[in-house]
Amino acid sequence: MSIEAGGFLPINLLTGFLGSGKTTLLKRILADPAFADTAVLINEFGEIGLDHDLVESVEGEMVLLRYGCVCCTVRDDLATALKELYSRRERGLVPPFRRVIIESTGLADPFPVLSTIKADPVLRHHFCAGNVITTVDAVNGLRQLDTYIESNRQAAVADRLIVTKTDLEADRSEYDLQARLRTLNPDAPILIAADPHLDLSSLVAVQSNISTSGLSLSGFYCEEPVQLVSSDGAPHQVAISSISLVIDRPVDWTAFGLWLTMLLNRHGERVLRVKGILNLNGEERPVAVHGVQHLVHTPVHMDGWPSEDRNSRLVFILDGLDGALLKRSFEAFTLARVPAASYPIAAAR
């Protein structure tokens, strides 16, 4: 689906560490006629790196690509560039694109790009957050994850992980890289760029609901909390860890919302990702929650529970935060709001 309900234009972020193949993947996407209705913003200094695809200049740093895609560089403020792009669309100065892809610089923390949409009221009126697509280099990816916090953050917040350069690396290293990525990000699909059957449209598809087909039997994607280690088995120097919370009684939505708001207000930059399903007091269907640092997506009522297990499950990917303290804070604030005796037994539903 190219446009969200209500006419919002999805903004997809293409990120990944230096040399991981972002531009190569972007060229491949834009060469597909199915992406003719796409606008591209390259969020770094330098010339647009798609010269062989250019057909005409629109104005200044904005160009029209093959199949009618619009492409421009962002040298100053991203919000300003998005507003100007939308204004030109409305005035008929550029083709009526239906989605935006932002290619970020390889050293960037992806969060500032995501937060731009939420922070600006004008952008919120026209745009919505799409997918975060992260490219990871099969040759250098493990070393980069060992060394650079930016590489870990890019992988942790991804909705789609794309492993590139697999033709240059032995199968074992690729397996080790995928295992590390799965620890960092328990539920994002890991796709291989060299796969001839790779469905490019799935990278930017906006889901109208949360599918339960990928859930584990326990009801969520991540089974056990994991303390990350480097490839040599030593504790990870960037202090990223994940923690899984399992709640065996319904959760009060108001209390949970207040707790999550306070947590992200205080520690949002260190909560790389929160994702889970909640059994809410008074609700028959589970509710899916998903957030990246300060940016929290609209909760979604799922079609149903993936199993007989009605426990709520939340996974947090943390940068330097103590997971045990987070767990105690959650229990003290949310589960103490209503006496346990007043909750129905979740498993009896």
Side-chain angles (χ1 to χ4, degrees):
M1 183 169 62
S2 297
I3 294 186
E4 285 270 88
F8 294 104
L9 298 167
I11 297 178
N12 302 275
L13 174 62
L14 175 58
T15 186
F17 206 70
L18 294 170
S20 63
K22 296 187 301 298
T23 300
T24 299
L25 179 62
L26 180 60
K27 289 179 180 179
R28 184 175 168 188
I29 290 173
L30 297 180
D32 188 331
F35 290 89
D37 49 3
T38 300
V40 180
L41 295 177
I42 298 181
N43 189 30
E44 60 183 326
F45 292 95
E47 299 301 318
I48 296 174
L50 301 169
D51 295 325
H52 67 282
D53 286 328
L54 307 185
V55 293
E56 76 176 275
S57 175
V58 176
E59 181 182 339
E61 296 171 349
M62 187 171 295
V63 295
L64 191 65
L65 304 182
R66 181 190 307 168
Y67 301 127
C69 301
V70 180
C71 185
C72 61
T73 53
V74 181
R75 296 181 184 272
D76 296 307
D77 182 62
L78 177 60
T80 300
L82 283 168
K83 291 174 189 175
E84 175 63 19
L85 187 61
Y86 186 85
S87 174
R88 293 189 182 191
R89 176 184 184 269
E90 294 301 289
R91 288 180 286 157
L93 300 180
V94 297
F97 57 86
R98 292 166 58 85
R99 70 175 69 82
V100 177
I101 298 177
I102 297 174
E103 181 189 357
S104 69
T105 178
L107 288 173
D109 182 334
F111 170 68
V113 177
L114 300 174
S115 64
T116 295
I117 308 167
K118 182 178 181 181
D120 192 293
V122 176
L123 294 181
R124 289 202 311 267
H125 186 69
H126 301 298
F127 297 96
C128 65
N131 287 330
V132 178
I133 307 157
T134 299
T135 53
V136 185
D137 179 349
V139 178
N140 300 304
L142 282 172
R143 179 182 58 80
Q144 291 165 350
L145 289 169
D146 283 346
T147 308
Y148 300 103
I149 182 63
E150 295 87 357
S151 179
N152 285 263
R153 286 175 175 266
Q154 290 163 358
V157 304
D159 297 296
R160 307 285 189 272
L161 288 161
I162 313 296
V163 179
T164 64
K165 306 181 184 179
T166 52
D167 55 325
L168 304 177
E169 191 57 38
D171 291 342
R172 179 63 191 178
S173 295
E174 181 188 333
Y175 174 83
D176 292 341
L177 175 61
Q178 290 198 37
R180 176 78 69 80
L181 292 174
R182 182 54 64 226
T183 304
L184 268 171
N185 192 329
D187 58 282
I190 298 177
L191 306 170
I192 306 301
D195 182 357
H197 302 295
L198 175 63
D199 180 9
L200 295 175
S201 65
S202 69
L203 303 183
V204 298
V206 179
Q207 296 179 342
S208 59
N209 205 338
I210 303 296
S211 171
T212 61
S213 60
L215 298 179
S216 67
L217 292 178
S218 65
F220 195 51
Y221 309 83
C222 184
E223 299 295 335
E224 300 293 339
V226 179
Q227 181 70 41
L228 300 185
V229 296
S230 297
S231 54
D232 60 0
H236 204 293
Q237 60 179 307
V238 295
I240 292 180
S241 63
S242 65
I243 182 172
S244 177
L245 304 183
V246 181
I247 306 97
D248 61 2
R249 50 192 168 113
V251 175
D252 179 78
W253 175 249
T254 301
F256 172 78
L258 289 172
W259 174 80
L260 185 62
T261 299
M262 290 190 296
L263 173 70
L264 298 182
N265 184 60
R266 178 73 181 273
H267 300 295
E269 292 186 1
R270 301 170 71 187
V271 180
L272 301 186
R273 189 181 181 107
V274 55
K275 196 166 187 179
I277 55 176
L278 295 176
N279 183 349
L280 297 179
N281 193 31
E283 293 286 342
E284 290 297 324
R285 293 185 295 162
V287 172
V289 293
H290 178 204
V292 176
Q293 294 183 295
H294 295 282
L295 179 66
V296 179
H297 296 278
T298 303
V300 175
H301 281 83
M302 300 172 64
D303 293 333
W305 290 92
S307 71
E308 294 301 316
D309 187 351
R310 297 296 188 266
N311 289 336
S312 297
R313 291 180 177 270
L314 291 165
V315 172
F316 293 84
I317 300 176
L318 308 172
D319 177 10
L321 284 181
D322 186 333
L325 288 177
L326 183 147
K327 182 175 184 292
R328 288 202 295 270
S329 168
F330 172 85
E331 293 174 344
F333 194 90
T334 65
L335 300 185
R337 292 305 174 190
V338 180
S342 69
Y343 285 110
I345 300 175
R349 287 189 176 185

